[in-house]
Amino acid sequence: MEAAAGYSLYPLHRCKTLHLVRHAQGIHNVAGEKDCSLYLSEELFDAQLTPFGWWQVDNLRKHVQESGLSKRIELVIVLPLLRTMQTAVGVFGGEGYTDGIETSPLMVANAVNSNHSAISSLNCPPFMAVELCREHVGVHPCDRRRSISEYQPLFPAIDFSLAIYFSYS
């Protein structure tokens, strides 16, 4: 429901807008569409984006830039899972990373053999990995993740201080 011009139950200057973005196409999506039993394959552990997934990321990034939304993002919260971090840094990260810049990249070049260039943390909002963003916890290897200590060198500018496991029993 759209509020009348200037009138709302709560002052807009005290509100935050939340945008939810699902990850782009991962290798597990392609495999699972061909044969759903492949979701149980350990080869899909912590699945990364496909080339088509990176294309989806690039298109969403263009939309976010052209719409002006990128200037209004204050914080990016992402699940510490390879494909979700790749999607988030690709969409909301800075322009291409260049060695010698005095800031850490959001993602290093060729992270987990992604064949993707590094992504800069310049002129972009802070990124925080939060385990509680998880859609579901299941038995599929694609939904399990690496340890935070493995992610930190791949995504040096993401804050992993809240990326801890909680019991989902």
Side-chain angles (χ1 to χ4, degrees), residues 116-143:
H116 197 277
S117 58
I119 298 174
S120 174
S121 62
L122 286 175
N123 302 318
C124 69
F127 282 68
M128 178 170 275
V130 178
E131 185 67 37
L132 291 175
C133 295
R134 189 171 287 276
E135 180 180 2
H136 59 83
V137 176
V139 298
H140 300 131
C142 62
D143 294 329

Side-chain angles (χ1 to χ4, degrees), residues 20-51:
L20 301 175
V21 177
R22 184 162 167 76
H23 66 79
Q25 183 189 65
I27 60 171
H28 67 298
N29 298 123
V30 175
E33 286 175 12
K34 290 179 184 173
D35 178 358
C36 65
S37 70
L38 291 175
Y39 281 121
L40 296 172
S41 171
E42 285 297 326
E43 290 180 21
L44 298 177
F45 170 74
D46 196 13
Q48 65 177 313
L49 296 183
T50 65

Side-chain angles (χ1 to χ4, degrees), residues 19 61 63-75 91-92 123-125:
H19 301 273
R61 178 182 180 78
H63 172 73
V64 166
Q65 296 289 327
E66 290 170 3
S67 69
L69 180 61
S70 60
K71 293 179 173 76
R72 298 190 310 268
I73 303 291
E74 296 177 36
L75 174 66
V91 172
F92 301 109
N123 302 318
C124 69

Side-chain angles (χ1 to χ4, degrees), residues 78-80 128-134 137 145-149 151-152 159-168:
V78 62
L79 171 67
M128 178 170 275
V130 178
E131 185 67 37
L132 291 175
C133 295
R134 189 171 287 276
V137 176
R145 67 169 172 82
R146 291 168 168 76
S147 70
I148 296 305
S149 62
Y151 286 139
Q152 288 171 321
D159 177 356
F160 288 97
S161 62
L162 293 179
I164 55 175
Y165 275 122
F166 291 89
S167 174
Y168 293 98

